[in-house]
Amino acid sequence: MITPHFRGRTAWHLVPFIACGCLLFFASNQSVRAQSAISSEQEVVVSGEEVPSAYGAPPGFSRSRFSNLTNAYVLPPWAFFFGEIFEGQGFRHEPPDYLFTQEIEMGLPYRFGVAAESKFERFNGGGGAETVSLEARWALADWNKIPLNPTLFAEYKFGVGTIRHEEGPPPPAGEGEEEEGGPPQVPDAYEFRLLLAQDFGERFEWAMNWFFEKENTGDRGREWGFSQSVMTPILLSNERLKVGVEMEYKNFTVKDTRGDPMNSFAIGPTIAWKPTPQTRLDISPLFGCTDDSPVADVFVAFSWLFGTEHAEAEAPVSTRFRYLTKVLRADSDPGKDSEKEMKQVAPPPCPQWYGDNEWNVNLWGTYAFTNTEYNPNLWLVDVVQSTSEGNPVLGTYDHYIGGDHAWGGGGDIKYFFHRYFGLGIEGFALAASKNGFDIFEDPTIPIFTRERINHDHTIGAVLGIFTLRYPIPCTRFAPYAWAGVGAIFGGGERDVLHTQGPPDAFAVHAQTHHFGSETKLLGQFGAGLEFRIARHIGLTSDLSFGVIDGPENNFGMFRSGLNFAF
């Protein structure tokens, strides 16, 4: 009975590697052909869509994210990539897990790129920030100079939230309880990847990522594997629509399961649609093929790519051979000029909606949501009992704002000393409410009063901020990102119960001490989008994350408002 089961699992483990090997062989074979063809092909200048090209790479490989699962090559110098990614995982015996990721990347000269990423999680009724990442990548050579165009990728992840859904197996019996201070914190981790990419034939584009990730603390989770995607355009006009297939294999262990890893393999179709030359929507429904895989893993990503005015333009890969065929046919016709080239036509001047030097006054409303799961202990008798035993059970809740959300408003004043950079001051206020209690017990009288109360308070903050924006040429849109540091005040009230006597909720002396608000150090970062209704008025909408000194204090903010420029 044991032997057949072992062979079946081994056969399943070979499936992703067989699929990987087949595509890798075809890609490497085509890479060699492409390099030999470069020296013999006649240089042709074609008229194509204004899409930035990274060091000669096709546009599909010049936008950082090749598909939902794979990255490829690098961005053109001084080009920016913004992405919003949703991932929904469905499990056999657990609630679904939802992940939301924001990323921003900038291309640098000499085939370098840097990026920042934030990830939020929603699982089983709770949610909040999970990690903040810093990334860097470097391509070893210009496109098609080395087979498969290898690119090195490194990332460091800062854990900023609590673990809501364990990726590894459930802990042994008796070890699955939460730690004394609540759920464990997400550990820091580092990751390395090898990015491979190649276009082959006239129709296909391929990318593959090998990755290794290691957690620094906690269970010291270790994960390695690969993901790969193959795509082909089905609407040739500027490659507006592409379809393909992608897959991912992951081998995951923790410090206690190094010899018994979890093997996950998912595969499914993918589709990419470009509503505009700079934007793209990717959808990938994947299906698990092993017992350790999610039943379904669905990705939806929306991204913007903004190149500089000096970025190299190149026709889509699917049109290059058709243009070459037309030129070769013209060469065979003696009545045609064999040296004829098709030149790109410079676009007409565009209106300027954003100034190189301008003041901005932005007024906005906001919704704040806390990072800590809101689950306070509402049974005050249990609070007394647990405190008398030396281990107060107060439940989980945000320690500064208090509740699970708050409404408010604010504004900021910025001066853009350059078209892309600005400095300013930001301030906001939140109408918040925090649960508390008032308990008094004296068994000698006897008296035992207990009351649950609300601390209604106004929280304020003042920060200095640095803003990076990129006005998209010939449009009214400008994505932006900012970071700031300052002080937050008006929150953090505490109710502390002191007990004296035996560990018995009805025989102990108990009294509540109330502590007022505190002023804390606040760091903030976020990203958003502005739309100029007129030259001096714009609509703004963004998402930010605030980090407050101390545990279980962090929060996020959705903001929307009006920006006045002059």
Side-chain angles (χ1 to χ4, degrees):
M1 297 297 293
I2 297 177
T3 303
H5 177 69
F6 177 79
R7 289 177 179 172
R9 288 183 59 89
T10 303
W12 268 112
H13 293 172
L14 293 177
V15 170
F17 294 100
I18 294 173
C20 166
C22 292
L23 289 177
L24 188 61
F25 170 76
F26 287 119
S28 59
N29 186 43
Q30 177 60 30
S31 177
V32 175
R33 293 181 181 180
Q35 293 181 76
S36 61
I38 289 175
S39 59
S40 61
E41 286 185 358
Q42 179 182 356
E43 182 177 355
V44 180
V45 180
V46 300
S47 177
E49 184 180 345
E50 283 289 337
V51 178
S53 174
Y55 309 100
F61 297 104
S62 303
R63 56 182 300 116
S64 175
R65 183 171 288 273
F66 177 73
S67 68
N68 282 314
L69 290 178
T70 55
N71 292 279
Y73 209 53
V74 290
L75 290 174
W78 312 119
F80 292 86
F81 175 88
F82 298 86
E84 299 280 350
I85 305 161
F86 164 80
E87 179 184 2
Q89 295 179 324
F91 302 96
R92 293 174 177 84
H93 307 294
E94 293 181 286
D97 193 12
Y98 304 107
L99 300 171
F100 303 87
T101 303
Q102 291 182 318
E103 61 179 343
I104 175 174
E105 182 170 351
M106 179 176 66
L108 298 175
Y110 305 106
R111 303 183 304 278
F112 278 97
V114 293
E117 182 180 288
S118 60
K119 181 181 289 186
F120 299 82
E121 183 180 24
R122 183 76 177 174
F123 178 74
N124 199 24
E130 184 181 70
T131 60
V132 175
S133 307
L134 297 178
E135 305 171 359
R137 69 174 74 182
W138 176 60
L140 273 61
D142 288 355
W143 186 258
N144 267 343
K145 298 297 183 181
I146 300 178
L148 305 184
N149 303 288
T151 301
L152 304 180
F153 178 102
E155 178 182 13
Y156 193 88
K157 301 179 181 180
F158 300 90
V160 295
T162 58
I163 296 177
R164 296 177 176 84
H165 179 236
E166 290 281 2
E167 184 176 1
E175 299 181 11
E177 299 178 358
E178 291 185 353
E179 299 178 359
E180 182 177 337
Q185 295 291 311
V186 176
D188 291 357
Y190 60 87
E191 180 179 359
F192 297 105
R193 302 184 206 173
L194 173 63
L195 314 183
L196 305 175
Q198 187 66 55
D199 57 323
F200 51 98
E202 298 185 12
R203 302 281 297 176
F204 295 99
E205 297 175 333
W206 168 85
M208 184 177 193
N209 297 173
W210 286 91
F211 55 84
F212 174 84
E213 181 178 345
K214 178 72 166 58
E215 295 176 351
N216 295 338
T217 57
D219 289 336
R220 299 190 179 275
R222 182 187 299 167
E223 181 178 86
W224 67 269
F226 68 86
S227 59
Q228 65 175 338
S229 306
V230 177
M231 303 186 74
T232 182
I234 59 175
L235 292 181
L236 292 179
S237 176
N238 298 322
E239 299 189 356
R240 291 293 196 213
L241 184 64
K242 294 181 181 181
V243 296
V245 61
E246 56 185 331
M247 63 188 71
E248 182 178 53
Y249 169 77
K250 294 190 293 185
N251 177 292
F252 180 81
T253 61
V254 296
K255 59 184 179 181
D256 298 325
T257 64
R258 296 300 187 210
D260 184 23
M262 295 179 60
N263 294 283
S264 171
F265 180 66
I267 187 170
T270 184
I271 183 171
W273 173 55
K274 294 173 62 178
T276 69
Q278 289 80 24
T279 61
R280 196 172 83 175
L281 177 67
D282 292 81
I283 301 175
S284 303
L286 306 183
F287 304 95
C289 299
T290 67
D291 293 338
D292 297 328
S293 306
V295 176
D297 198 356
V298 179
F299 293 84
V300 179
F302 187 72
S303 59
W304 301 268
L305 175 65
F306 310 119
T308 65
E309 291 81 354
H310 303 288
E312 177 186 353
E314 182 173 306
V317 62
S318 59
T319 64
R320 272 180 254 154
F321 292 93
R322 293 188 290 136
Y323 280 117
L324 180 61
T325 302
K326 291 181 180 179
V327 174
L328 293 178
R329 287 177 179 173
D331 291 341
S332 62
D333 189 343
K336 300 287 185 178
D337 183 4
S338 61
E339 301 298 328
K340 183 178 180 180
E341 294 183 341
M342 289 177 286
K343 301 290 185 179
Q344 295 190 14
V345 180
C350 300
Q352 297 296 319
W353 298 100
Y354 297 85
D356 293 335
N357 303 99
E358 65 178 19
W359 286 91
N360 281 193
V361 177
N362 193 9
L363 303 176
W364 34 264
T366 183
Y367 172 79
F369 56 94
T370 58
N371 181 51
T372 305
E373 183 176 1
Y374 184 70
N375 186 27
N377 186 2
L378 300 179
W379 189 18
L380 297 186
V381 174
D382 184 55
V383 172
V384 178
Q385 179 66 40
S386 60
T387 303
S388 68
E389 295 173 353
N391 185 27
V393 178
L394 304 178
T396 58
Y397 55 89
D398 182 89
H399 287 183
Y400 197 86
I401 294 178
D404 59 352
H405 71 279
W407 294 91
D412 54 74
I413 300 175
K414 301 185 290 289
Y415 177 70
F416 284 88
F417 55 89
H418 187 276
R419 185 177 183 83
Y420 308 108
F421 310 104
L423 294 172
I425 299 176
E426 173 193 326
F428 63 83
L430 301 173
S433 179
K434 183 176 184 179
N435 285 339
F437 55 80
D438 192 2
I439 299 173
F440 179 80
E441 181 180 4
D442 188 346
T444 62
I445 299 180
I447 185 173
F448 188 5
T449 61
R450 52 194 182 275
E451 179 185 6
R452 185 160 292 280
I453 60 179
N454 282 326
H455 298 288
D456 295 325
H457 54 281
T458 300
I459 295 175
V462 178
L463 306 94
I465 57 175
F466 172 76
T467 302
L468 168 69
R469 74 175 181 186
Y470 184 80
I472 305 173
C474 300
T475 74
R476 299 170 183 256
F477 292 94
Y480 58 89
W482 82 97
V485 63
I488 188 168
F489 47 87
E493 298 95 337
R494 294 180 296 143
D495 299 320
V496 180
L497 181 65
H498 293 279
T499 62
Q500 184 178 6
D504 186 340
F506 296 96
V508 70
H509 291 265
Q511 185 174 359
T512 305
H513 294 269
H514 304 282
F515 297 87
S517 62
E518 299 177 300
T519 299
K520 295 275 191 177
L521 181 68
L522 171 66
Q524 186 189 61
F525 57 91
L529 184 68
E530 179 178 359
F531 174 78
R532 285 287 168 94
I533 305 172
R535 173 62 181 84
H536 301 288
I537 302 177
L539 296 174
T540 61
S541 183
D542 54 52
L543 173 64
S544 66
F545 184 70
V547 180
I548 304 179
D549 177 39
E552 299 182 328
N553 288 334
N554 303 334
F555 66 99
M557 293 175 62
F558 290 105
R559 312 188 312 181
S560 186
L562 286 175
N563 185 42
F564 301 92
F566 55 93

